[in-house]
Amino acid sequence: MSGTIDSQSLEQTRPNQKQDIVYVGYRRRGRAVVERQPGQEVTPELSLELANHSPSGFGWGYGGSGPAQLALALLLDYTGDEDIALAHYTAFKNRVVSQLDCSHPEGYWRLTGTDIENALRELSDDVVAPSN
């Protein structure tokens, strides 16, 4: 990760805490679909402007280019902050997106705003300040 983001700046990017955002991912006719509930599709377009990992779409459950694009898109959508998204998406992909799974009977994964906030807080805590 390049740069450091302190937890206070993360606090400032949070949406209204009274209404927790929920993201859901599933496959429809072989295509990975991600929605911000209720029913707003999250697409790769905005994240592709920042880093082009997977112009063919999102992926999850492994550590490749589709999950990298999804991690960047989720952080960009949730925080609305390009710097935070760019600084944390690789670690977020490794810690969260690579673990998302649709194999249970319902056939979808679910990620809440609280899940994202907790992951960002953990990722920020992992950044160690240089010693003198």
Side-chain angles (χ1 to χ4, degrees):
M1 279 185 290
S2 63
T4 60
I5 307 291
D6 64 28
S7 11
Q8 185 175 20
S9 65
L10 288 176
E11 299 284 330
Q12 295 168 357
T13 65
R14 288 184 185 166
N16 184 343
Q17 292 179 332
K18 292 180 183 175
Q19 181 180 5
D20 200 16
I21 292 175
V22 176
Y23 295 94
V24 175
Y26 55 93
R27 298 207 177 274
R28 181 188 307 141
R29 294 189 276 290
R31 181 171 88 78
V33 177
V34 177
E35 293 181 355
R36 180 179 59 221
Q37 298 294 307
Q40 289 183 294
E41 188 168 350
V42 176
T43 62
E45 281 74 24
L46 289 176
S47 65
L48 285 167
E49 293 175 15
L50 299 179
N52 187 339
H53 291 288
S54 181
S56 61
F58 296 139
W60 53 76
Y62 63 102
S65 59
Q69 202 70 57
L70 176 58
L72 182 57
L74 286 171
L75 292 181
L76 185 60
D77 185 78
Y78 182 74
T79 67
D81 187 309
E82 292 178 2
D83 292 333
I84 289 176
L86 285 169
H88 292 286
Y89 82 95
T90 300
F92 186 76
K93 173 195 75 167
N94 294 333
R95 184 166 292 177
V96 177
V97 176
S98 67
Q99 305 304 308
L100 296 174
D101 181 21
C102 293
S103 64
H104 53 79
E106 291 85 15
Y108 65 88
W109 53 260
R110 183 176 185 274
L111 190 64
T112 67
T114 300
D115 296 331
I116 294 171
E117 287 178 20
N118 290 339
L120 283 172
R121 196 170 297 111
E122 289 174 16
L123 295 173
S124 292
D125 291 346
D126 288 348
V127 176
V128 178
S131 58
N132 294 350

